[in-house]
Amino acid sequence: MLHEARYWEPDAGGKVLCTLCPRACRIGEGQNGFCWIRRNRGGRLVTTGWGTTTGFAVDPIEKKPLSHFFPGSTVLSFGTAGCNLGCRFCQNWDISKARVDEEASEDAWTPERVVDLAVRMRCPGLAFTYNDPIIWAEYAIDVAKEAHARGLFTVFVTNGYVGAEARRDVFRHMDAANVDLKAFTEEFYARTTLSHLAPVKETLEWLARETGVWVEVTNLVIPGLNDAEDETRSLARFVRDRMGPDVPLHFSAFHPDYRMLDVPRTPRRTLSRARAIAREEGLRYVYTGNVHDPEGETTFCPGCGERVLERDGFALVRSRLRGGACAACGTRIAGRFPETVAPTTGERLALGVPRASTVRAPTKA
């Protein structure tokens, strides 16, 4: 399914310049951009990512991962194919490295049909995920508009590698985002992802300081490549100083995949060390992921140290929140919460966006 794309301008020799992301692909007639789903057809840019999907799943919100956005709720997750980065370690390579016309994608998934499915599955929200939704921005925006019109929330799981115009358009329609900060050195980004660090930092700072989007950050920790203590400290300080100490940071375990099969899995102790460093640097909410780590999965009150949200993997098993605050001492917990947070095994949130208590992360000038 071909759909008119936004974010482009004519270029010399019949080419088009794609302005969606910092890659700025110049695309010749009949050719595709780096992401593979944006194509020059007759001197105009079209996308094959509108209305197609590689599949749906009902996921816990904690899997995105989001720990401070309607915990215990479910989201209808879906994606398309392709990606605008070239990560050698891609953990979803069978989707992100696929071409739409080679993948068993279903056509004609209109925004109305997607939201109908979410309603039928009793999910209060939608998550744009699996491959990077930046490359199918037009489709994500149209689905998000329909979701909001019918009372559902929207979640954007992304690498943050996006141009300024598209960034404004996309996040205007998103309620929450998890941004994958893959490392904190330009060398890593250039060699291992075929992209650059600066635009991702710009997106992160902009989200935290200039929007109403609830944002959390994930760092996939790869042994020997981005797990040095000084890099972890620099990353944590960036989140603290440029985003705010209440922004949740997730350290996630790597497993060998795609073109990085010679690197071992991330030991749990490495993630625990990274979490300890980030907490030393003043971040209040730091988590570990892709390993079983009850301590690293738990939300602690920054006031009294009480366990306010206890998790087992992606399941919320115990809540001591009351109206967005610690039930023990009354300290407000940063995030967006329903008035009552029930364990995943208890009653699900009612369909639609629950009444929430919202605490914005503080920022520094």
Side-chain angles (χ1 to χ4, degrees):
M1 179 181 291
L2 298 180
H3 190 275
E4 189 78 12
R6 305 171 201 169
Y7 318 113
W8 67 277
E9 56 191 54
D11 200 26
K15 293 184 176 181
V16 297
L17 173 65
C18 180
T19 60
L20 176 69
C21 83
R23 195 168 292 282
C25 294
R26 286 179 162 79
I27 308 169
E29 170 63 36
Q31 296 179 339
N32 296 338
F34 183 94
C35 67
W36 202 259
I37 72 168
R38 304 178 78 80
R39 180 180 303 166
N40 181 342
R41 187 174 187 185
R44 300 189 64 81
L45 190 66
V46 298
T47 172
T48 59
W50 198 99
T52 62
T53 175
T54 51
F56 295 89
V58 175
D59 289 328
I61 194 77
E62 285 80 6
K63 193 175 181 179
K64 298 304 99 188
L66 288 170
S67 294
H68 291 242
F69 186 83
F70 297 110
S73 64
T74 58
V75 286
L76 182 69
S77 300
F78 71 104
T80 64
C83 188
N84 62 344
L85 298 192
C87 302
R88 293 178 53 239
F89 53 85
C90 183
Q91 312 276 280
N92 280 328
W93 66 270
D94 53 335
I95 295 173
S96 66
K97 305 306 178 185
R99 302 177 182 182
V100 170
D101 56 356
E102 294 176 353
E103 188 71 24
S105 301
E106 299 229 16
D107 290 333
W109 274 99
T110 64
E112 295 78 11
R113 190 180 174 197
V114 172
V115 177
D116 283 345
L117 180 59
V119 170
R120 191 160 66 249
M121 301 305 294
R122 297 190 58 78
C123 294
L126 291 169
F128 308 97
T129 183
Y130 298 140
N131 71 321
D132 202 287
I134 287 297
I135 66 170
W136 39 286
E138 297 88 353
Y139 186 39
I141 289 170
D142 291 346
V143 174
K145 288 179 178 177
E146 179 67 17
H148 282 165
R150 294 168 66 180
L152 278 65
F153 63 70
T154 54
V155 172
F156 205 72
V157 182
T158 178
N159 58 38
Y161 203 60
V162 59
E165 180 187 5
R167 183 172 62 204
R168 288 191 300 271
D169 289 351
V170 167
F171 288 106
R172 185 178 297 124
H173 304 285
M174 300 301 156
D175 298 302
N178 185 287
V179 180
D180 190 1
L181 181 55
K182 298 181 183 295
F184 209 65
T185 66
E186 171 61 19
E187 180 182 10
F188 181 100
Y189 264 85
R191 290 189 177 184
T192 312
T193 75
L194 306 182
S195 65
H196 300 286
L197 173 60
V200 181
K201 291 168 63 178
E202 183 179 313
T203 295
L204 285 164
E205 186 171 349
W206 176 83
L207 279 169
R209 296 166 67 94
E210 299 186 36
T211 78
V213 178
W214 178 256
V215 60
E216 302 189 17
V217 181
T218 296
N219 175 231
L220 183 71
V221 181
I222 306 176
L225 291 180
N226 67 351
D227 62 344
E229 179 175 332
D230 57 350
E231 182 172 345
T232 300
R233 287 195 184 279
S234 295
L235 188 155
R237 288 168 182 167
F238 169 80
V239 174
R240 180 195 68 199
D241 295 342
R242 307 309 301 172
M243 300 182 72
D246 281 343
V247 172
L249 175 59
H250 303 257
F251 291 108
S252 187
F254 161 87
H255 66 263
D257 216 332
Y258 193 46
R259 295 178 177 173
M260 201 172 281
L261 300 175
D262 57 339
V263 177
R265 289 177 178 269
T266 312
R268 176 176 153 177
R269 64 180 179 276
T270 300
L271 300 183
S272 297
R273 183 190 65 185
R275 179 173 177 269
I277 290 170
R279 286 164 62 88
E280 287 172 9
E281 292 298 334
L283 295 185
R284 299 188 179 110
Y285 307 106
V286 189
Y287 301 95
T288 58
N290 286 352
V291 293
H292 186 250
D293 179 10
E295 185 86 0
E297 295 163 354
T298 295
T299 301
F300 292 89
C301 173
C304 68
E306 178 70 41
R307 296 170 178 261
V308 292
L309 293 169
E310 292 187 59
R311 303 175 180 87
D312 184 3
F314 299 128
L316 180 66
V317 296
R318 186 173 290 105
S319 170
R320 296 184 182 89
L321 272 182
R322 185 177 299 145
C326 173
C329 73
T331 297
R332 302 290 293 180
I333 306 301
R336 297 187 183 177
F337 308 105
E339 288 300 313
T340 301
V341 178
T344 307
T345 52
E347 290 187 11
R348 284 172 137 191
L349 295 174
L351 183 64
V353 181
R355 199 172 118 205
S357 300
T358 302
V359 179
R360 289 295 303 155
T363 58
K364 293 187 176 182

